[in-house]
Amino acid sequence: DSKYIIKCISQSEFEFLQKILPNYYEYLMSCLVKNLQKNNMECQRSSTMVSTFSSSCFNQLNSVETKCTLLDIIYGAYSINILDKKLFFIIKKNIFYSNNNLSINKKYDLKGSSIDRTSSKRKVSDVYKDLDYIGFEQTLSLSTKISNYLTEIIEKDTLFLTENNIINYSFYIGIAEIPENYENDENEEGILSQDKINMYYFGISDIFTEYGA
């Protein structure tokens, strides 16, 4: 159902993930607990694993009501041997996943740079980049409340990335047009635009590059 993605990574990225894993885990869990407490919700730790929350609770990291981070939600990192070659990969949550199977019309991969930051052919299927975002005069229809909330989350996430010496990550935006007669589902993980024309999906990904490495 496209809820999860398998992504190959390099050995150096795999090893860097192992290095930052304790900090990554504690950051996700601490922000989740704080946000659940803020929303008067509870989250029970799983009895099957020490210091591990239940999967249903972990999934709340990106639910609309309790969204507290835009960082990739990584469920596992693995290595396998194929024909004497070791392959490294992760399983992570799909940033653009829609509970209601909404079709993403535009996807942006933004890095805050203008150097080589354009999609070569600008096909509909492309993931657009910074200069495309500017060229399309793309805007987002968000209420002040949602905009401020997302800004607060981004500031916290980027502070975590800075403290862990991580660079070259991407801010992803997905935009889905709302079909006629659409009824907003409380389980939908996207953010409905203020004008109710689009559904937005946000995420910070590609967090395995260490500064100076």
Side-chain angles (χ1 to χ4, degrees):
D1 60 3
S2 300
K3 188 171 184 177
Y4 306 102
I5 289 178
I6 297 176
K7 180 179 180 180
C8 290
I9 59 176
S10 67
Q11 181 174 349
S12 61
E13 290 175 324
F14 183 86
E15 292 171 350
F16 182 61
L17 174 58
Q18 289 180 311
K19 177 181 175 181
I20 66 169
L21 188 57
N23 292 344
Y24 169 80
Y25 176 82
E26 287 303 322
Y27 175 73
L28 295 187
M29 291 303 100
S30 63
C31 84
L32 173 59
V33 169
K34 289 178 182 177
N35 220 40
L36 290 173
Q37 291 173 341
K38 180 180 178 181
N39 289 278
N40 296 317
M41 300 173 70
E42 293 184 356
C43 185
Q44 299 296 325
R45 287 184 182 269
S46 170
S47 60
T48 58
M49 294 184 68
V50 177
S51 301
T52 302
F53 286 90
S54 64
S55 59
S56 60
C57 180
F58 192 69
N59 287 336
Q60 292 181 69
L61 279 165
N62 266 355
S63 66
V64 175
E65 296 85 359
T66 57
K67 186 183 290 291
C68 60
T69 182
L70 297 180
L71 294 181
D72 262 339
I73 304 302
I74 301 169
Y75 294 98
Y78 308 90
S79 65
I80 57 175
N81 291 314
I82 301 178
L83 299 177
D84 297 325
K85 183 178 180 180
K86 182 167 283 191
L87 180 68
F88 301 90
F89 65 95
I90 60 171
I91 297 176
K92 67 174 189 171
K93 186 172 184 179
N94 182 3
I95 292 171
F96 302 126
Y97 172 71
S98 168
N99 298 59
N100 298 309
N101 297 315
L102 294 177
S103 177
I104 308 296
N105 306 103
K106 284 185 179 178
K107 298 177 182 179
Y108 289 98
D109 168 1
L110 307 178
K111 288 185 179 291
S113 172
S114 60
I115 300 175
D116 296 327
R117 298 301 297 164
T118 183
S119 177
S120 58
K121 297 182 180 180
R122 287 192 176 181
K123 295 180 180 179
V124 175
S125 59
D126 282 353
V127 175
Y128 299 116
K129 300 180 181 179
D130 301 68
L131 293 179
D132 303 311
Y133 188 94
I134 295 172
F136 292 149
E137 297 183 350
Q138 182 71 59
T139 59
L140 302 176
S141 174
L142 295 170
S143 68
T144 300
K145 180 180 178 180
I146 294 296
S147 178
N148 290 341
Y149 188 45
L150 286 173
T151 299
E152 180 182 342
I153 292 173
I154 292 169
E155 288 176 348
K156 290 179 180 178
D157 285 346
T158 52
L159 178 60
F160 166 81
L161 296 171
T162 300
E163 290 174 343
N164 286 273
N165 221 25
I166 299 170
I167 62 168
N168 201 35
Y169 47 86
S170 292
F171 180 59
Y172 284 92
I173 302 175
I175 303 175
E177 294 181 0
I178 300 297
E180 293 183 9
N181 303 319
Y182 173 79
E183 294 184 6
N184 192 26
D185 183 349
E186 63 179 9
N187 293 317
E188 174 58 53
E189 296 181 16
I191 296 176
L192 185 64
S193 63
Q194 188 174 24
D195 56 19
K196 295 180 171 53
I197 295 177
N198 297 302
M199 190 72 74
Y200 300 134
Y201 301 85
F202 302 99
I204 297 175
S205 190
D206 307 328
I207 60 172
F208 305 129
T209 302
E210 183 177 16
Y211 178 75

